[in-house]
Amino acid sequence: QRRKLLGSVASVATAILMPLSSTAAELPSVTSAEFDTILKDSAKSILGVELSGPKSETALVKLVDGTTFEISDLRESPTDPRSPLKLVSRCRLYKVPIKNTGLLSAVGSDGISKSGKKKKSYANERVRLAEEKNKERAERMAQDERERLEELYRMEGEDSSFLK
C-alpha cells in the first residue's frame, strides 16, 4: 500500500511540475548580444524588461506588439557584459523601463503600488492634472508606435519591392 501511495504521489507531482517547466521552455530566447542589437535598432518597441530570480538572472522582455521573450545568457559577474547590472544600465541608457520582481518581492510592497513605483501625493491640483496629461500622452505615443509597427509589418507583407 505504501508503494501505491508513493507511486500515486510521485505521478501527481510529476503531472503538476511538467506543465510548469514546459511553459518556461515555450518562451523564445535571445542572447545578450542579440538583445543589444534590438535595443540599438528599436528601443521604442520594447515595453519593458522584467528581472526575476535570486540573482536577477532571468529576464523577460515584453514588446509593444505583445511578444514576450527571455534573455538566455545572463551571468552574475562584476566584469562580464552579460551580467544583469550591465543589462539594467543598457536599458536605462535607452530609457527602457525595468522591473525587478525578485527584489520587489524580497523588500515587500509597503508604499509601493502594483506598478512597482512609489505612490505620489500631490499638494497642487495643477501638478496632478499635468501628470495625468503626461500619462495620457505616453499612452498615445505607445499606441502610435504599435500602429506604426502594424503598418510596417503590413507593408512588408504586401509588397517587398520597396526594400530593393
Side-chain angles (χ1 to χ4, degrees), residues 18-63:
M18 287 305 275
L20 293 176
S21 64
S22 67
T23 56
E26 291 175 8
L27 283 176
S29 63
V30 297
T31 63
S32 294
E34 292 169 341
F35 182 68
D36 287 343
T37 306
I38 293 170
L39 266 177
K40 290 175 188 170
D41 293 342
S42 57
K44 295 251 184 200
S45 64
I46 298 174
L47 194 59
V49 177
E50 188 173 307
L51 295 168
S52 61
K55 295 182 182 178
S56 300
E57 71 278 355
T58 306
L60 291 175
V61 179
K62 295 180 183 176
L63 299 179

Side-chain angles (χ1 to χ4, degrees), residues 4 18 51 60 66 77 79 101 111 122 133:
K4 279 186 176 180
M18 287 305 275
L51 295 168
L60 291 175
S77 170
T79 57
T101 57
Y122 299 102
K133 288 181 181 179

Side-chain angles (χ1 to χ4, degrees), residues 78-125:
T79 57
D80 195 356
R82 298 174 296 174
S83 77
L85 290 175
K86 299 274 186 175
L87 173 70
V88 168
S89 69
R90 288 190 307 267
C91 289
R92 284 184 182 160
L93 179 66
Y94 290 100
K95 297 179 181 171
V96 173
I98 304 138
K99 185 176 180 183
N100 195 332
T101 57
L103 184 62
L104 285 176
S105 65
V107 170
S109 61
D110 296 338
I112 298 175
S113 67
K114 291 181 181 178
S115 67
K117 295 183 180 179
K118 291 179 102 176
K119 294 180 182 178
K120 293 183 180 179
S121 62
Y122 299 102
N124 191 343
E125 183 69 19

Side-chain angles (χ1 to χ4, degrees), residues 141-158:
M141 288 176 65
Q143 178 64 29
D144 289 344
E145 182 68 17
R146 281 192 291 272
E147 290 172 359
R148 184 189 70 81
L149 288 172
E150 289 173 4
E151 180 73 20
L152 181 68
Y153 293 148
R154 189 173 49 80
M155 285 174 55
E156 286 177 355
E158 290 176 0

Side-chain angles (χ1 to χ4, degrees), residues 10-22:
S11 65
V12 169
T14 306
I16 291 172
L17 293 178
M18 287 305 275
L20 293 176
S21 64
S22 67

